[in-house]
Amino acid sequence: MAISKKMKSAFFCTQCGAEHGKWQGQCKECNEWNTLAEEKVAVSKSKRVQITESEIKKITDIEVSSKIGYKSGINEFDRVLGGHLLPGMTILLGGEPGIGKSTLILQAAESYSSLGLNVLYVTGEESLSQLKIRSNRLA
C-alpha cells in the first residue's frame, strides 16, 4: 500500500530563492518583478516526540569536557558562540528576513566541514531550491 503525501503549492523566487505562500508580482525579499515560480511541496504531519528525563545536577557537580571546540574562522560568529562550537551545542539563530542568517550558517557549515566534521543543515524556513541557489552563489 502506497502512502500518499498531501501536496501544496508554494512560490519561489528564481532570483533569490525566497518562498511565498501565494503568487504575487514582486518578490518581498529581493524586490524583483515576475520572478516567482510555482512548485509543489509535500506537507507532512507532525509526529509526537518522546522526551526523556535528564539527570538533575548542581552546577558545581558538572564536569567540563577538556575538548576545546571548533572555530569557524568567522570571528564575530565564533565570538557569539563563546569562542567556538562545542560538541552537542545547539544554536538557534533569529533575525529579520534578508539580513544574512542562512548565508552565515552556510559559510560556517562549510568551514566546519573543512575541519572534517559532519554537518547537518536543518531549516524550517527554506526550500531545497533556496538552499541550492544560496549555496551556488557562495560556491
Side-chain angles (χ1 to χ4, degrees), residues 29 82 100 108 130 136:
E29 299 298 322
Q130 286 175 287
N136 286 345

Side-chain angles (χ1 to χ4, degrees), residues 8-19:
K8 73 171 189 168
S9 289
F11 297 85
F12 297 95
C13 177
T14 58
Q15 293 298 310
C16 72
E19 181 179 356

Side-chain angles (χ1 to χ4, degrees), residues 4 6-7 14 17 20 25 34-35 39 59 64 84 89 101 103 108 111 115 123 125 132 139:
S4 63
K6 200 174 204 181
M7 301 296 282
T14 58
H20 301 274
N34 298 317
T35 57
E39 290 184 31
I59 290 180
V64 178
H84 45 260
M89 183 182 252
K101 298 177 298 291
T103 300
S111 178
L115 296 173
T123 178
E125 294 185 344
K132 180 67 174 175

Side-chain angles (χ1 to χ4, degrees), residues 24-43:
Q24 51 198 35
Q26 185 179 30
C27 174
K28 293 185 288 187
E29 299 298 322
C30 68
N31 297 321
E32 290 293 321
W33 287 93
N34 298 317
T35 57
L36 298 188
E38 182 177 11
E39 290 184 31
K40 295 290 184 188
V41 293
V43 177

Side-chain angles (χ1 to χ4, degrees), residues 4-112:
S4 63
K5 287 189 176 181
K6 200 174 204 181
M7 301 296 282
K8 73 171 189 168
S9 289
F11 297 85
F12 297 95
C13 177
T14 58
Q15 293 298 310
C16 72
E19 181 179 356
H20 301 274
K22 61 181 182 177
W23 189 88
Q24 51 198 35
Q26 185 179 30
C27 174
K28 293 185 288 187
E29 299 298 322
C30 68
N31 297 321
E32 290 293 321
W33 287 93
N34 298 317
T35 57
L36 298 188
E38 182 177 11
E39 290 184 31
K40 295 290 184 188
V41 293
V43 177
S44 63
K45 293 182 179 179
S46 63
K47 295 181 181 179
R48 288 185 170 224
V49 176
Q50 184 175 356
I51 299 173
T52 58
E53 287 189 34
S54 295
E55 184 180 343
I56 298 171
K57 285 189 174 186
K58 293 180 182 178
I59 290 180
T60 55
D61 294 339
I62 299 172
E63 293 183 24
V64 178
S65 171
S66 61
K67 192 152 185 126
I68 296 173
Y70 306 98
K71 292 190 176 287
S72 70
I74 305 168
N75 292 334
E76 187 67 8
F77 185 71
D78 289 337
R79 186 187 69 76
V80 169
L81 295 181
H84 45 260
L85 179 72
L86 294 172
M89 183 182 252
T90 301
I91 303 163
L92 176 62
L93 187 64
E96 294 295 320
I99 63 169
K101 298 177 298 291
S102 298
T103 300
L104 175 64
I105 292 299
L106 270 178
Q107 290 169 329
E110 192 280 327
S111 178
Y112 293 132

